Amino acid sequence: MRPPSLLFVCLGNICRSPLAEAAFRDAAARAGLEAVADSAGTGGWHAGHAPDPRSRAVALRHGIDISGLRARAVRDADFTGFDYILALDPQNLRDLRAMAPARSSARIALLMDHVPGRAGQAVHDPYYGGDADFDAVWDQVRAAADALVAMLQR
């Protein structure tokens, strides 16, 4: 049996989704859960770029180096290659559902729907904010990562 695979998706794949990927990888490792994680954007204009410096800084403050990650756009193969595709906000969820090919086998959902009491909520885009906004994103994606690991261990 292959390990579960999760793709975290935001708009440009330089702020929120790399942090969600990092938080999930860390939570899975701490729990001893074998899983595959990646991140992507619904838009491809940052393809090949490292995460935003503020995302790298907040991850590093939590002991995680994401400087080696590179942005990419969602591709058709993701819809059959991943078990879960998790959007970080409702607009990206709508975009993913519209992009999904008919043969899609991935479960497409909103990331925060997995956190008790947070269903329907977005992980707000910190791009135009400051350090406090990136810290808030970290708190949200860490809570989601822990909830996902718990779900996958059941």
Side-chain angles (χ1 to χ4, degrees):
M1 186 167 174
R2 70 181 183 91
S5 56
L6 299 87
L7 180 67
F8 299 92
V9 179
C10 67
L11 188 59
N13 192 214
I14 60 167
C15 294
R16 296 173 290 170
S17 56
L19 287 174
E21 175 188 349
F24 177 77
R25 285 179 187 264
D26 183 62
R30 284 185 287 108
L33 174 69
E34 185 180 353
V36 174
D38 196 2
S39 59
T42 53
W45 51 89
H46 294 295
H49 295 177
D52 184 287
R54 297 163 295 175
S55 286
R56 294 192 314 256
V58 73
L60 213 48
R61 284 196 297 276
H62 294 277
I64 302 168
D65 181 3
I66 62 170
S67 62
L69 297 180
R70 293 294 175 264
R72 70 172 183 87
V74 172
R75 46 188 177 247
D76 275 357
D78 292 332
F79 292 94
T80 54
F82 287 91
D83 299 314
Y84 299 90
I85 298 179
L86 301 162
L88 277 84
D89 62 69
Q91 181 59 56
N92 281 298
L93 179 62
R94 286 188 292 277
D95 292 344
L96 285 165
R97 288 183 172 151
M99 296 166 70
R103 70 187 193 302
S104 176
S105 57
R107 290 174 227 157
I108 302 169
L110 192 63
L111 176 65
M112 296 308 288
D113 283 354
H114 293 88
V115 180
R118 305 291 302 269
Q121 293 183 12
V123 175
H124 295 288
D125 191 344
Y127 187 76
Y128 293 104
D131 289 345
D133 297 289
F134 283 81
D135 287 331
V137 166
W138 179 260
D139 291 343
Q140 290 177 298
V141 298
R142 169 59 86 192
D146 291 340
L148 286 167
V149 166
M151 176 196 75
L152 293 169
Q153 287 182 316
R154 287 193 277 274

